[in-house]
């Protein structure tokens, strides 16, 4: 019984801290419509296939950046998720956690600012010695429709 009360207090502190992180991200980079430029680089492929750029307009919530990289929806990463590992006033870091035991690993880092949000995902596919990256540069252009 003496150990339950400190545990409850600690959990309450963690929840408050996570809430503060989300409000920091919202203050630095607000939710809204963003002009996004996504670069995908795969150095192991032939020269004409190893680099691609996609441009789009998309609604983004800076508090939920773990889902912004479209490559995480690819079948090769279907059992992987980005888990937040750190937050500062102007940056968020994530680790790629995979369940399949195939050795895929990676990390993502977001720089948050009022004029742009820039994120880079670096992935190493396990067992294949292949790497790729995605870099998103998102600039706010207005409110979401």
């Amino acid at each position: 019984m003496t150990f339950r009360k400190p545990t409850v207090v600690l959990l309450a502190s963690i929840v408050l801290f996570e809430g503060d992180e989300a409000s920091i991200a919202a203050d630095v980079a607000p939710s809204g419509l963003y002009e996004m430029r996504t670069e995908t680089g795969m150095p192991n492929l032939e020269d004409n296939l190893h680099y691609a750029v996609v441009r789009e307009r998309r609604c983004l919530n800076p508090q939920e950046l773990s889902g912004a990289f479209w490559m995480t929806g690819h079948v090769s990463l279907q059992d992987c998720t980005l888990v937040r590992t750190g937050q500062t006033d102007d940056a968020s870091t994530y680790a790629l956690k995979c369940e399949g035991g195939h050795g895929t690993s990676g990390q993502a880092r977001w720089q948050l600012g009022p004029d742009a949000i820039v994120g880079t995902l670096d992935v190493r596919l396990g067992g294949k010695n292949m790497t790729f990256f995605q870099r998103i540069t998102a600039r706010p252009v207005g409110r979401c429709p």
Side-chain angles (χ1 to χ4, degrees):
M1 282 256 168
T2 50
F3 292 109
R4 284 190 180 177
K5 190 170 184 177
T7 303
V8 172
V9 171
L10 177 60
L11 289 175
S13 298
I14 290 171
V15 170
L16 289 173
F17 181 69
E18 286 180 355
D20 290 343
E21 289 176 355
S23 66
I24 289 169
D27 290 342
V28 174
S31 296
L33 184 63
Y34 283 79
E35 184 74 41
M36 295 175 57
R37 181 178 191 270
T38 304
E39 305 167 63
T40 304
M42 297 174 229
N44 296 28
L45 297 180
E46 296 176 25
D47 286 342
N48 61 343
L49 298 175
H50 77 275
Y51 190 75
V53 176
V54 174
R55 288 180 169 77
E56 64 179 325
R57 281 190 172 206
R58 190 164 134 195
C59 288
L60 280 181
N61 180 347
Q63 299 172 26
E64 300 170 357
L65 291 172
S66 62
F69 295 103
W70 60 262
M71 195 66 168
T72 58
H74 189 272
V75 67
S76 63
L77 300 176
Q78 68 187 0
D79 65 341
C80 302
T81 55
L82 284 169
V83 178
R84 188 185 322 208
T85 58
Q87 178 80 41
T88 65
D89 287 352
D90 62 352
S92 290
T93 55
Y94 296 81
L96 186 67
K97 302 288 183 182
C98 301
E99 307 247 340
H102 41 72
T104 296
S105 62
Q107 64 277 333
R109 178 172 176 79
W110 284 94
Q111 289 295 128
L112 308 171
D115 298 326
I117 301 172
V118 180
T120 302
L121 169 68
D122 293 302
V123 176
R124 180 181 180 94
L125 298 171
K128 297 181 181 171
N129 199 24
M130 283 188 63
T131 61
F132 72 86
F133 72 88
Q134 271 194 319
R135 184 175 303 112
I136 298 174
T137 303
R139 301 195 187 287
V141 293
R143 293 177 170 253
C144 290

